[in-house]
Amino acid sequence: MIRRTRLAAALSLLIGSLALAAPAGAAKHAAVARASKPARSAEAVRFDQLLRRETRERFAANPSFATYMGVHDYDTQLENTSRVAIDAEAASIRRALKELGAIDTAKLDAATRIDYDLYDADLQGRLYRLTELRPWEKDPGTYGYGFAIDNLIARNFAPPATRLRAVIARLRLVPRQLANGRANVKNPAELIARFSAEDLETLVDYLNRDVPRAFPTVKDKALWKQYDAAKLGAQTATRAYVKWIREE
């Protein structure tokens, strides 16, 4: 529990450091806070820089995760899990592990050393998942988009119309993502394929029912017309993908 709490705290601090727009006076308060703490070692600064850069890369490759973590720079984007993108993400993680291994942990303070170990385990786990477990090749449900939409409608982080526009933008990218699934998935286990098809099928009604209910105050007819068009494209691609899973 202590390790998980520290990781959550570290991620929260990181998200704050990545925010593009800070409240008035935040920079001044941050400077005062830094001045009251002991100077960080060069190795600790290297670790901080690596963590920030690689996390930005992770958010860019996983927009839904970024939204979930409260970073809204990528709200209008959707994962593009092509084989090229998968290989690029694995290469990025390997580079981060190499840079992390070059940091002299003996020169880190105790708190940063814990963060180092947590981050190292996170990188190792993500690389193992991509290169060994390979859900992108074995599980058609990897290409579902419910999580991507849920993160936009469940939290009131922006005006409803703004969030609806983000939903529309992501729905327009659903056909591309499901096409990635067709290209990448190879002979999934029958049970996994069945569960994936059933889960994806529920998204058709989800777009008809749950998304409109999440935006009762949006009265812009033109915006809803855009939603209907994007929804239709996503639903058509979803039905075709489910059919492919069941027949292939």
Side-chain angles (χ1 to χ4, degrees), residues 156 158-168 215 217-220 223:
N156 191 28
T162 299
R163 291 185 288 120
L164 180 56
R165 290 188 183 94
V167 169
I168 292 167
F215 300 106
T217 61
V218 177
K219 307 299 183 183
D220 187 335
L223 190 58

Side-chain angles (χ1 to χ4, degrees), residues 13-36:
L13 288 172
L14 175 63
I15 301 309
S17 72
L18 293 175
L20 297 181
K28 179 180 179 180
H29 291 311
V32 172
R34 286 195 298 270
S36 66

Side-chain angles (χ1 to χ4, degrees), residues 2-95:
I2 292 175
R3 289 173 68 86
R4 291 183 64 183
T5 301
R6 279 198 53 79
L7 178 58
L11 282 173
S12 295
L13 288 172
L14 175 63
I15 301 309
S17 72
L18 293 175
L20 297 181
K28 179 180 179 180
H29 291 311
V32 172
R34 286 195 298 270
S36 66
K37 296 180 179 179
R40 291 174 65 73
S41 69
E43 295 299 276
V45 171
R46 284 180 63 191
F47 173 74
D48 291 345
Q49 291 172 341
L50 169 61
L51 182 59
R52 290 190 180 94
R53 190 190 72 247
E54 195 276 329
T55 301
R56 281 187 179 276
E57 292 175 0
R58 183 180 186 184
F59 286 156
N62 300 276
S64 302
F65 177 66
T67 301
Y68 174 76
M69 291 301 297
V71 175
H72 298 292
D73 303 335
Y74 311 97
D75 286 349
T76 59
Q77 299 176 36
L78 183 68
E79 285 70 22
N80 182 17
T81 315
S82 66
R83 184 57 193 270
V84 170
I86 292 166
D87 291 343
E89 186 170 3
S92 175
I93 295 172
R94 289 191 179 99
R95 286 194 301 271

